Structures are given as C-alpha cells and as structure tokens.
C-alpha cells in the first residue's frame, strides 16, 4: 500500500498546477508589457440603463478588498464611502441620495474588468470610483469605453493616457515623478538606481525617468523589477549597494515595499547616505513597513495627512471619526474622496447624470480639496494638483519638505517637455 | 569578491527560508502523500501568532522566542484539526485533498482578513537583530543569519525526532508500510495526527521567521507555497536531506541568476531547470526506500 504510488501520483498531480501557475505568471508579465487591450469590434455604445427617475442614484465602488493590493485599496473604498456619506447628509447630488454598490476587484485586472462590466450593465451605476494598479485601469478602460460609462480613477499613474470615459484624479507624471526628479537633481543627485514591480506603471515610469535622466546628465546605475507581491529583496539590495548610486527611485507596489525597506535597512543602507524616493508608499503603508525601517526616506505625492489646510483638518477629523483614530489618511484616499465631489460638482453643473452631459460640463469644474484647490482639465480629463515631496518621520507620518508654488496643470503626454518627445 | 560572497549568503538565506517553508511539507506531502494547499495558511497563522504575541508581550527580544514556540503549537493544532476533520477522509485521493485544502486555505485567508484587517501588520524585529554583519566585504542582515540558524535547528530537531524517538519510529513505520505497522500494534490514526501536527507546526515556525523579513498579511503564505512544493518534489518525496539540498541549491541558483538577470527572469529560468531536472529524475534527488509492494 502505497506510500510510494500515492506520492508518485501526488507528484504528477502537483506538476500540472505548478506548470499552470508559472504559465500564468509568464502571461501576466507579458500582458502588462503589451499594455492596452483595446477591443477590436468598436461596437456602438450600449444603451445606458442608469435609472434617474427615483430619489436615489447608484454609483459603483470597485477596489481590491482581497489580494496583494488590498493593503492599499481598502482605504480608498473607505474614503469613497466617507465622501458619499457626507454628500448624502448634505442633501445628495442634484437632490438625489447616492447609493453605493461596492465590488471587490481582488487585485486581478481581469476581475476588475468583469466587475466593471457588472456594475455598468446589471447594477446600472451612473459612475464608478476605484481601480489602483495601472493593469486594473488598462483592463477596465475598454469596458468603460465600449459601454460609454464613467470611471473616476484616484491613483497616481505613469501618464501617456487619456480617455473620455475616465477622469484621472490622481497625479500624472508631470505632477509627481518629474517634480520628484527635479527635487533630487536640485539636491545634487547625479546617479539613480531604479527598483520597481514588474508591470505597467513602473516600466513606463522608468522609461520616462530614463529619458529625463539622459536629458539632465543623471546616470542610471541599474534597473530592477520584481514580480508583484514578491518578498525577497536580498539580491536587489545587494545590487543597489554595489552600484552605489546617489539615490534609489522606488516604484514598487503593495506588500513588496515592506520586504524591500526591511532588507534595505537591515543591510545597513540609510536614508542619509542613499535615500529612497518612493511614489507608491503612503501613510497607510508606513505602518505595515514599520516607521523605524523607513524613517527619513522620501516620498512624492500631492497630499499628506499633515497638509495644513482647513479642508484637510476636516477631512482627517471626519475620516478618523468614522474609521478610528489610528487610521491615517493618504494621497490616493484623498484623491478618491475628491473625485466623488468632482463628480457631484460636475453633475450639478450639467444638471444631468448622462455621461455625455458630464463630459461636456467637466472642463473647469473645481473643488476645494484637502490637498488644495483642484480643477478638471476638460481636454485630457486630468486635474491640476500641487506636487509635494515628503519625508517619513518616526511618528509614521509624512511631512512636506518641498511643495510646488501653485497647482501644476496636468500634462499626461508630457508634450511640454522636449526630452519626452520619443516617449509617445 | 564581495558580490560572490553576498550572493552566496543571499542564496543560503533564500534557501533557509524555502527550507523552513518546505520542511513541514516534506512530512505531510512527502511522507503521507497529502497535497495540503492550506500549508501556506499555516505559515500565515505563524506570522500572525508572532504579531499577536508581540501585542501581548511588547516588542522585546523574548517575544520572538515565545512566538516561535507558540507559532509551532498554533500551526500544529490547526494542522491536526484539519487532519481530523477533513484530510483523514481523503487519504489516497490526492486530487480531492488538493481541492479541499485549497478551499480551506481561502477560508483561512478570509478569516485572517476579518480578524486582522486587510492591510499588512508590522511585527517589530528585536533590536539585536537589526542591522547586518560584515562578512568578507558583504553585509549580511542579522535577521537572515538568524533564519539560517533556525532552519538548521529545525532540520536537526526533526531528523532527531524521526530517527530516535518512539513517535518518529512510528511515523517512519507507517510511511514505509501502513498495514504492517498496524499489524504490529501501531495506531496509524494517531500517527497521522502527530505527523500532521509536526508538519504544520513547522509551517507555523516558518511563518514566525518570515515576519523578520517581510510583511505580515493574509496572503503571506501564498508567496511561499509553490516554492515549498518545488523543494519537496526536487528533493525527493519524504526526504529531509533531499529537501535540505534542494532548498539551498534552488536558493543559491536563484540568487546568482537573479544577480545577472532580473527577478522575473530568474524565476522562469529556475523553473525551466526544475522541469528538465524532473524529466531526468522524476523521483527527485532522493527516493523513499519502502518495503511496500508497488
């Protein structure tokens, strides 16, 4: 009886799922490089089924509540809920109470596309708020275009995109990455090491960083990508150490950051000698990383919990009152919160929930956001934002060490930068 | 020179983590033929145990050692419970154990998310483990050295338990010939439970160790599960020495390939090499010697 035969069989049984898992892994990374999956048929937009006759209007909230991105995206769902609650309490949107349909994208781009389709076609929502990774946005883009529906996407991203069906309320590159590079250059950084997760955002962002570096005399000493969710950074930290760059530009996403910063700190690398500038770590992640592992490191965002404005004090207080005093607020949360208000203000300007009317009315719609005044640019559906470089302090919060004197107008295709002419 | 030394230590340390994750599997999968997809969640349980212990006992160095012991028993208890409630009914049906334990794994992940929240929690490493030691020009983090030592201790303890204790003898007897073992008065039931307890307990220990290097979240076990299965398959089912050699070989191979290429490419290359290796040697590095007639 068959210890051996059953274990041999077990081996055989096991090899199949393992092979499948690897093929899946390979496909994911190919898919992310191939980028956009535009639908070929270009069929006429489906008839909208949004019901505007009653006292309520439905909107969708679509975030990863499970999987590797849940660490970040749950907070976005929470702040969308906060904005909706506030709007409902103050009379709703154009007199209608907002009803949220929340869905879980499960950190899988295909799941985001499926759930977006469900929200639009069977829940008949007037707009969807959510998405985080660029892969999730790229997967949802054709769904929103084919159905002629609206997505409000709240996270900074790699730029080089503009769709009439998406409002981008996070930063595009010229509002985050380029100011960060300008800041490092001003501080005398002459060489960079690039570390990122292996998918759309880091790959594209690093292409832009390399173009910037080439034009500004900054040397790129190395460039490394790890699979999303990867937790072993010993080799990469060894490479960074021996490359001896002036600074590290970090485009890792999600849980990987925890392992990276622990390894970085334990290997004796310090912010004072070789600072890491991150574009995807916010207050929420700092708690998971442990403030002692990331103290002194830099981040580039448009908003920090410590931003000093009456709008922000109210936002932070309301958020903490609803979700707990120990819960920090972060840039994507603020952008998500702001996006609900921008949608409300656009609807009220257009006096309509119809997608076409909202698109027509969007240009110039503004909101006094916690990060400062933001205005929608109707031409590219992005918003103007203030750039801020922050430093992580031992209390786990991020403090502004530099900010742009005024909100920066969005330039998703970097048309105003000569060195970027080859990127499109 | 420092690059080679650095990568060698990186490889050893990746290997020691793989080994910790795989050691328990080499008992439950290797010796008993049960494909336990919830093994990763036992690792996760160990990680969260470290977090809970730290919340209760503050962040002193003692909490790490308490965690290692408590983590072993938490993982072990979960494994024994799983054995008694589900796996017992499915011996000799590996496909069913795969599906059922995969489902159990998903349930455990969701439970963890409900209890501890979706964002990763931070387990603070003891102060004496922060920083690194300079070895021939390469800085090796102390946490990694600690994990290496822990892996060695676990291997020695497990080998000793299997070779010298009455329980170890019973486990080996049941693995080699269940019927004959039963005939000679060994309760294979009880032995199965203890095998599962030890195997899953080691997963718990692995989970505690992982809190030293990465995040503690509901999906932490997933990242290590496939690698752990690879180690067991490459090493030869049920072979502790096979698992040890395979884990360190894969770790070192991975670290050197990764240094000259990238993390994603290294994973693919290592996997392709494993496929070729298994073509040439389907039984892995070492095969179980058995008296059963098959």
């Amino acid at each position: 009886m068959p210890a051996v035969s059953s274990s041999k069989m077990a081996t055989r049984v096991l090899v199949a799922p393992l092979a499948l898992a690897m093929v899946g892994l390979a496909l994911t990374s190919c898919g992310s490089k191939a980028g956009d999956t535009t639908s070929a048929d270009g069929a006429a937009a489906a008839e909208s089924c949004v019901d505007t006759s009653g006292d309520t209007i439905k909107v969708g909230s679509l975030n990863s509540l499970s999987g590797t991105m849940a660490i970040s995206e749950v907070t976005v769902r929470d702040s969308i809920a906060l904005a909706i609650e506030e709007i409902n309490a103050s009379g709703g949107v154009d007199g209608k109470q907002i009803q949220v349909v929340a869905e879980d994208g499960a950190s899988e781009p295909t799941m985001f596309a499926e759930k977006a389709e469900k929200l639009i076609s069977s829940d008949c929502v007037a707009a969807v708020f959510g998405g985080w990774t660029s892969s999730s946005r790229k997967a949802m883009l054709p769904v929103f275009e084919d159905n002629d529906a609206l997505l409000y996407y709240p996270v900074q991203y790699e730029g080089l995109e503009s769709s009439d069906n998406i409002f981008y309320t996070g930063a595009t590159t010229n509002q985050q990455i380029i100011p960060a590079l300008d800041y490092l250059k001003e501080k005398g950084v002459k060489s960079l090491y690039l570390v990122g997760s292996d998918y759309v955002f880091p790959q594209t962002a690093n292409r832009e960083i390399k173009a910037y570096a080439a034009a500004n005399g900054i040397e790129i000493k190395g460039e490394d990508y790890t699979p999303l969710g990867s937790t072993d950074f010993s080799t990469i930290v060894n490479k960074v150490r021996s490359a001896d760059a002036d600074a590290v530009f970090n485009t890792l996403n999600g849980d990987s950051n925890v392992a990276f910063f622990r390894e970085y700190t334990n290997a004796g690398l310090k912010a004072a000698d070789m600072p890491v500038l991150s574009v995807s770590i916010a207050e929420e992640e700092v708690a998971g990383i442990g403030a002692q592992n990331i103290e002194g490191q830099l981040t580039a965002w448009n908003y920090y919990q410590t931003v000093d404005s009456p709008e922000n004090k109210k936002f932070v207080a309301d958020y903490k009152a609803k979700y707990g005093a120990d819960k920090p607020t972060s840039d994507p949360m603020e952008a998500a919160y702001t996006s609900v208000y921008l949608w409300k203000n656009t609807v009220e300007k257009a006096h309509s929930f119809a997608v076409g009317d909202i698109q027509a009315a969007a240009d110039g719609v503004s909101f006094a956001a916690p990060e400062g005044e933001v205005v929608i640019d109707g031409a590219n559906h992005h918003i103007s934002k203030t750039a801020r470089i922050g430093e992580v302090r031992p209390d786990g919060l991020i403090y502004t060490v530099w900010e742009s004197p005024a909100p920066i107008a969005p330039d998703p295709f970097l048309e105003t930068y000569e060195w970027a002419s080859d990127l499109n | 020179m420092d690059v080679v030394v650095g990568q060698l230590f990186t490889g050893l340390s990746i290997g020691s983590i793989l080994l910790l994750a795989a050691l328990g599997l080499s008992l439950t999968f290797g010796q008993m033929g049960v494909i336990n997809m919830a093994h990763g969640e036992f690792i996760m349980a160990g990680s969260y145990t470290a977090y809970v212990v730290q919340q209760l006992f503050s962040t002193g160095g003692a909490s790490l050692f308490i965690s290692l012991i408590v983590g072993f028993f938490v993982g072990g208890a979960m494994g024994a419970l799983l054995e008694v409630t589900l796996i017992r009914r499915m011996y000799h049906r590996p496909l069913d154990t795969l599906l059922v334990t995969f489902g159990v794994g998903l349930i455990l992940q969701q439970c963890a998310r409900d209890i501890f929240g979706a964002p990763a929690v931070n387990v603070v490493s003891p102060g004496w483990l922060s920083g690194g030691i300079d070895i021939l020009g390469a800085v090796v983090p102390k946490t990694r050295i600690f994990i290496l030592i822990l892996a060695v201790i676990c291997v020695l303890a497990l080998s000793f338990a299997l070779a010298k204790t009455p329980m170890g003898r019973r486990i080996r007897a049941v693995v080699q010939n269940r019927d004959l073992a039963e005939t000679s008065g060994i309760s294979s039931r009880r032995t199965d439970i203890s095998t599962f307890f030890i195997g899953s307990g080691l997963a718990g220990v692995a989970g505690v160790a992982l809190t030293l290097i990465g995040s503690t979240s509901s999906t932490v076990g997933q990242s290590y599960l496939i690698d752990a299965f690879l180690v067991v398959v490459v090493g030869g089912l049920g072979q502790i020495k096979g698992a040890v050699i395979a884990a360190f070989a894969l770790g070192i191979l991975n670290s050197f390939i990764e240094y000259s290429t990238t993390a994603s490419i290294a994973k693919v290359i290592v996997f392709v090499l494993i496929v070729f290796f298994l073509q040439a040697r389907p039984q892995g590095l070492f095969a179980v010697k058995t008296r059963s007639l098959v």
Side-chain angles (χ1 to χ4, degrees):
Chain A
M1 253 252 8
V4 153
S5 80
S6 75
S7 33
K8 264 189 191 155
M9 181 171 173
T11 319
R12 254 176 261 138
V13 168
L14 194 76
V15 168
L18 285 179
L20 272 179
M22 285 311 292
V23 170
L25 202 83
L27 283 181
T28 330
S29 58
C30 295
S32 60
K33 270 183 200 158
D36 206 337
T37 47
T38 331
S39 73
D41 56 2
E47 194 63 30
S48 158
C49 61
V50 178
D51 177 17
T52 53
S53 59
D55 294 336
T56 59
I57 184 81
K58 276 202 242 180
V59 301
S61 156
L62 176 49
N63 310 279
S64 296
L65 311 180
S66 57
T68 185
M69 292 310 300
I71 176 179
S72 308
E73 293 188 48
V74 167
T75 63
V76 167
R77 176 202 60 182
D78 289 349
S79 69
I80 291 170
L82 173 66
I84 289 171
E85 191 176 280
E86 285 179 11
I87 292 171
N88 280 342
S90 63
V93 175
D94 226 13
K96 289 186 202 300
Q97 290 287 300
I98 305 171
Q99 198 187 332
V100 197
V101 186
E103 283 292 348
D104 179 6
S107 308
E108 296 284 348
T110 46
M111 186 66 90
F112 270 95
E114 251 170 61
K115 297 287 179 155
E117 181 74 48
K118 171 193 171 274
L119 285 171
I120 299 164
S121 307
S122 29
D123 296 317
C124 300
V125 298
V128 176
F129 300 89
W132 182 297
T133 65
S134 289
S135 335
S136 71
R137 190 191 65 254
K138 292 277 189 198
M140 289 189 285
L141 181 90
V143 177
F144 282 92
E145 289 189 339
D146 291 350
N147 290 290
D148 197 21
L150 282 182
L151 170 69
Y152 283 78
Y153 173 72
V155 182
Q156 48 79 231
Y157 80 113
E158 71 281 1
L160 309 183
E161 188 182 293
S162 170
S163 165
D164 285 346
N165 297 93
I166 300 182
F167 283 98
Y168 306 80
T169 59
T172 181
T173 31
N174 79 313
Q175 298 165 324
Q176 184 192 27
I177 289 179
I178 295 173
L181 290 166
D182 286 339
Y183 177 80
L184 290 175
K185 189 182 155 204
E186 193 151 303
K187 289 283 166 193
V189 167
K190 296 260 184 290
S191 60
L192 282 176
Y193 200 101
L194 311 180
V195 177
S197 296
D198 201 354
Y199 77 110
V200 185
F201 166 71
Q203 297 259 8
T204 316
N206 284 348
R207 221 151 49 87
E208 292 163 357
I209 293 171
K210 283 184 281 182
Y212 177 97
N216 288 279
I218 293 174
E219 187 191 351
I220 302 295
K221 293 242 183 169
E223 183 179 1
D224 263 300
Y225 300 96
T226 74
L228 206 55
S230 163
T231 50
D232 206 301
F233 285 89
S234 39
T235 300
I236 286 181
V237 167
N238 281 354
K239 281 181 170 182
V240 170
R241 160 195 299 288
S242 46
D244 198 27
D246 291 344
V248 178
F249 205 105
N250 166 24
T251 44
L252 292 170
N253 265 56
D255 293 352
S256 297
N257 279 304
V258 182
F260 173 71
F261 277 102
R262 288 199 164 191
E263 194 73 41
Y264 199 82
T265 313
N266 281 332
L269 296 170
K270 293 192 178 59
D273 312 324
M274 200 191 289
V276 181
L277 194 149
S278 311
V279 288
S280 209
I281 295 175
E283 286 84 343
E284 186 72 28
E285 281 85 3
V286 171
I289 293 169
Q292 77 278 16
N293 293 314
I294 189 178
E295 188 186 332
Q297 304 289 11
L298 301 171
T299 62
W301 288 106
N302 307 97
Y303 167 87
Y304 300 113
Q305 182 180 310
T306 54
V307 164
D308 191 17
S309 71
E311 289 83 6
N312 186 41
K313 290 207 171 84
K314 177 179 179 304
F315 171 60
V316 172
D318 291 350
Y319 188 85
K320 286 183 187 298
K322 187 165 160 68
Y323 296 107
D326 57 334
K327 296 277 194 274
T329 57
S330 69
D331 181 291
M333 289 160 59
E334 188 267 353
Y337 174 87
T338 299
S339 67
V340 182
Y341 275 98
L342 283 171
W343 172 72
K344 168 188 189 281
N345 291 354
T346 318
V347 167
E348 289 177 346
K349 181 180 171 194
H351 285 301
S352 161
F353 289 97
V355 172
D357 296 336
I358 289 178
Q359 287 163 338
D363 190 45
V365 169
S366 67
F367 172 60
E371 67 178 277
E373 179 88 355
V374 298
V375 184
I376 299 179
D377 182 332
N380 55 31
H381 279 210
H382 290 61
I383 65 176
S384 56
K385 292 175 88 77
T386 307
R388 290 185 170 92
I389 307 295
E391 186 187 305
V392 182
R393 302 264 166 86
D395 60 1
L397 293 178
I398 308 176
Y399 292 83
T400 308
V401 291
W402 175 88
E403 70 177 56
S404 63
I408 300 173
D411 179 12
F413 293 94
L414 299 177
E415 284 156 347
T416 53
Y417 300 89
E418 206 176 310
W419 51 264
S421 54
D422 294 338
L423 289 172
N424 289 309
Chain B
M1 181 60 191
D2 60 331
V3 166
V4 176
V5 173
Q7 285 315 104
L8 199 63
F9 267 100
T10 299
L12 285 176
S13 100
I14 297 175
S16 60
I17 291 161
L18 288 179
L19 184 57
L20 276 178
L23 209 50
L25 265 189
S26 84
L27 274 185
T28 56
F29 172 54
Q31 307 227 11
M32 303 173 80
V34 173
I35 301 180
N36 178 17
M37 298 295 280
H39 188 78
E41 277 59 47
F42 296 158
I43 295 178
M44 171 194 80
S47 293
Y48 276 115
T49 301
Y51 174 71
V52 172
V53 166
Q54 194 157 88
Q55 299 298 306
L56 298 177
F57 290 92
S58 86
T59 58
S63 83
L64 177 60
F65 292 102
I66 298 170
S67 304
L68 285 170
I69 294 162
V70 180
F72 178 80
F73 283 100
V74 168
M78 287 172 73
L81 188 68
L82 185 69
E83 204 278 339
V84 171
T85 51
L86 290 171
I87 292 176
R88 159 158 307 171
R89 295 154 220 278
M90 301 188 183
Y91 284 117
H92 313 304
R93 285 153 64 195
L95 257 185
D96 294 353
T97 58
L98 186 150
L99 290 176
V100 166
T101 53
F102 183 70
V104 170
L106 290 179
I107 293 170
L108 290 177
Q109 276 183 41
Q110 189 58 47
C111 289
R113 218 169 283 132
D114 289 344
I115 298 171
F116 299 103
V121 294
N122 176 30
V123 178
V124 181
S125 326
W128 47 270
L129 275 181
S130 67
I133 295 173
D134 205 308
I135 300 178
L136 296 173
V139 177
V140 183
K142 288 180 192 161
T143 48
R144 299 252 171 194
I145 296 173
F146 179 82
I147 290 173
L148 187 61
I149 296 170
L150 181 66
V152 171
I153 293 174
C154 286
V155 170
L156 292 179
L158 182 60
S159 308
F160 176 81
L162 286 180
K164 304 285 182 201
T165 65
M167 187 182 60
R169 279 196 289 276
R170 283 199 293 273
I171 291 176
R172 283 184 296 140
V174 169
V175 167
Q176 288 187 1
N177 192 326
R178 183 174 287 261
D179 293 345
L180 191 56
E182 291 244 358
T183 317
S184 40
I186 295 172
S187 160
S188 63
R189 281 218 140 165
R190 230 183 291 155
T191 312
D192 288 341
I193 298 180
S194 26
T195 313
F196 240 86
F197 186 91
I198 299 173
S200 311
L202 287 169
V205 171
V208 175
L210 287 178
T211 61
L212 295 173
I213 55 166
S215 59
T216 302
S217 66
S218 55
T219 51
V220 63
Q222 298 260 296
S223 338
Y224 294 93
L225 183 65
I226 288 184
D227 289 340
F229 271 116
L230 285 181
V231 167
V232 176
V233 172
V234 170
L237 299 179
Q239 292 294 305
I240 294 175
K241 66 179 167 190
V244 173
I245 296 174
F248 286 113
L250 290 179
I252 292 171
L253 199 62
N254 194 77
S255 80
F256 279 99
I257 297 177
E258 188 181 336
Y259 196 83
S260 38
T261 58
T262 71
S264 314
I265 292 176
K267 267 207 151 62
V268 173
I269 293 178
V270 168
F271 192 74
V272 169
L273 290 177
I274 290 174
V275 169
F276 279 115
F277 172 78
L278 288 178
Q279 289 301 311
R281 230 188 128 72
Q283 72 274 38
L285 286 169
F286 300 98
V288 176
K289 291 189 193 71
T290 171
R291 285 173 178 277
S292 55
L293 305 166
V294 185

